[in-house]
């Protein structure tokens, strides 16, 4: 567009259609990008020995290229210097790489912009983050080996997290609350009882703790309350233990059936090796995280196994979730991460198509000079 500017100015009296011009530009770029994405997928999957996800790879790469093309056209149409355009390219690419989630955890960002619960807003503005998460989740969750086992492993993961990480933390808070009660350090109750109330409230749909919001108030906490909470946690732990054992038994049966269908253990092991990757497994399950459960305020946030942890639906337009979530909340329900993330990438692209057509970026860049000239004229 930058190089065509003189031609367009010379032919401006011919009433050429701007929409047709932009559509032609974008169509050619998208055709080239579609071929490039296909070639990259074919060669890349062959070299990396990836046996599944061909269409997923291609679609995500093509959607990302779609965004890159529209972003590039916006830049080309908005600046008057080719040097400025070239300088902007690394400035735009570096944040995409840093905030894609591939190089380091979002938890390592500055506390002012990071969050243990959700992907930071600034990362949500990066298309590379949506693309990276899409491929990681899809290739782990929907490969031929994992797909039949995923729901059972999801149940195992939920039960294991509560049984091995959350409930022990709640028992620690309960013990500290009892100690504070016995030593008359009542201000310490404010640090522990609200955690018990909030986390028990999250489990109330599974196992009711009657009137927990009023009972588990720091001002009403007594030895009898502590005993009832301890008994509740014991019952809750047994429930999750039974859930885990049942899911593990069903999973063992399914693995045995698939093993017999494939001809034996060695064939099944080879099948697993062909469709899984240890590094991807570590990445989407966050196995190298130091803390499996992190306290944030008066609640705990799960850090282990994000690929098995469903986000909470909080409102019709709330889409936020943790990184590598298997589903995304939106419009009051959960959507598969692949469809939602690809939709987000195309949404960003269509927004840039609108800004390209109306030359929004060029208008914004010229706005300060127009305001200064208006002040001088006044």
């Amino acid at each position: 567009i930058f190089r065509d500017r003189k031609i367009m100015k010379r032919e401006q009296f011919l009433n050429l259609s701007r929409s047709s011009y932009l559509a032609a530009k974008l169509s050619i770029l998208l055709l080239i990008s579609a071929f490039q994405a296909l070639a990259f997928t074919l060669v890349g999957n062959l070299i990396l020995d990836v046996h599944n996800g061909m269409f997923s790879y291609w679609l995500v790469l093509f959607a990302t290229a779609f965004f890159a093309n529209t972003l590039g056209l916006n830049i080309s149409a908005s600046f008057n210097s080719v040097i400025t355009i070239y300088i902007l390219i690394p400035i735009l690419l570096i944040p995409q790489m840093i905030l894609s989630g591939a190089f380091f955890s979002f938890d390592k960002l500055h506390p002012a912009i990071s969050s243990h619960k959700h992907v930071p807003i600034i990362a949500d503005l990066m298309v590379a983050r949506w693309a990276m998460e899409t491929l990681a989740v899809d290739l782990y969750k929907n490969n031929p080996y994992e797909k039949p086992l995923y729901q059972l492993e999801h149940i195992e993961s939920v039960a294991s997290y509560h049984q091995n990480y959350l409930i022990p933390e709640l028992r620690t808070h309960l013990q500290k609350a009892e100690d504070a009660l016995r030593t008359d350090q009542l201000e310490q109750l404010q640090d522990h009882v609200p955690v018990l109330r909030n986390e028990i409230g999250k489990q109330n749909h599974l196992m009711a703790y009657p009137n927990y919001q009023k009972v588990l108030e720091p001002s009403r906490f007594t030895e009898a309350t502590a005993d009832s909470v301890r008994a509740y946690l014991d019952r809750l732990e047994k429930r999750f233990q039974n859930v885990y054992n049942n899911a593990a038994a069903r999973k063992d049966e399914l693995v045995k059936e698939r093993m017999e269908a494939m001809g034996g253990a060695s064939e099944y092991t080879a099948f697993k090796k062909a469709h899984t990757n240890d590094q991807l497994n570590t990445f989407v399950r966050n196995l190298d995280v130091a803390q499996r459960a992190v306290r944030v305020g008066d609640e705990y946030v799960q850090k282990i196994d994000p690929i098995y942890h469903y986000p909470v639906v909080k409102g019709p337009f709330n889409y936020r979730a943790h990184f590598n979530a298997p589903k995304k909340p939106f419009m009051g329900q959960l959507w598969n991460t692949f469809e939602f993330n690809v939709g987000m990438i195309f949404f960003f692209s269509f927004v840039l198509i609108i800004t390209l057509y109306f030359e929004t970026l060029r208008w914004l860049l010229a706005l300060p000079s127009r305001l200064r000239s208006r002040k001088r004229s006044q």
Side-chain angles (χ1 to χ4, degrees), residues 1-5 8 15-31 66 69-78 349-362:
I1 293 179
F2 173 81
R3 292 178 178 177
D4 292 347
R5 195 167 291 161
M8 295 172 67
N15 295 322
L16 299 178
S17 171
R18 175 172 173 78
S19 58
S20 298
Y21 168 78
L22 295 176
K25 280 280 186 184
L26 193 57
S27 298
I28 293 297
L29 290 172
L30 290 180
L31 285 174
F66 191 169
N69 287 322
T70 55
L71 179 61
L73 290 175
N74 270 271
I75 296 171
S76 182
S78 303
S349 303
F350 287 123
V351 169
L352 288 182
I353 290 176
I354 296 173
T355 61
L356 175 64
Y357 181 80
F358 292 103
E359 297 186 294
T360 306
L361 181 58
R362 188 176 181 85

Side-chain angles (χ1 to χ4, degrees), residues 166 254 276:
L166 181 61
L254 180 59
T276 58

Side-chain angles (χ1 to χ4, degrees), residues 172-173 176-177 188-197 295:
T172 300
H173 283 284
K176 290 181 178 180
Q188 293 293 324
L189 294 176
Q190 296 286 347
D191 189 46
H192 302 293
V193 176
V195 177
L196 295 170
R197 181 180 63 238
R295 180 180 176 181

Side-chain angles (χ1 to χ4, degrees), residues 4-17:
D4 292 347
R5 195 167 291 161
K6 292 182 179 180
I7 300 175
M8 295 172 67
K9 185 175 182 180
R10 185 180 64 199
E11 299 178 352
Q12 62 182 341
F13 299 106
L14 298 179
N15 295 322
L16 299 178
S17 171

Side-chain angles (χ1 to χ4, degrees), residues 336-368:
N336 287 328
T337 291
F338 182 86
E339 290 84 356
F340 184 87
N341 283 18
V342 171
M344 286 294 294
I345 297 175
F346 279 115
F347 170 76
F348 284 127
S349 303
F350 287 123
V351 169
L352 288 182
I353 290 176
I354 296 173
T355 61
L356 175 64
Y357 181 80
F358 292 103
E359 297 186 294
T360 306
L361 181 58
R362 188 176 181 85
W363 181 85
L364 290 173
L365 291 172
L367 184 60

Side-chain angles (χ1 to χ4, degrees), residues 44-79:
N45 284 16
L46 179 64
I47 293 175
L48 297 175
D49 200 26
V50 178
H51 298 279
N52 53 280
M54 181 72 70
F55 176 74
S56 302
Y57 257 118
W58 176 83
L59 181 60
V60 173
L61 291 177
F62 174 70
T64 308
F66 191 169
F67 171 82
N69 287 322
T70 55
L71 179 61
L73 290 175
N74 270 271
I75 296 171
S76 182
S78 303
F79 293 92

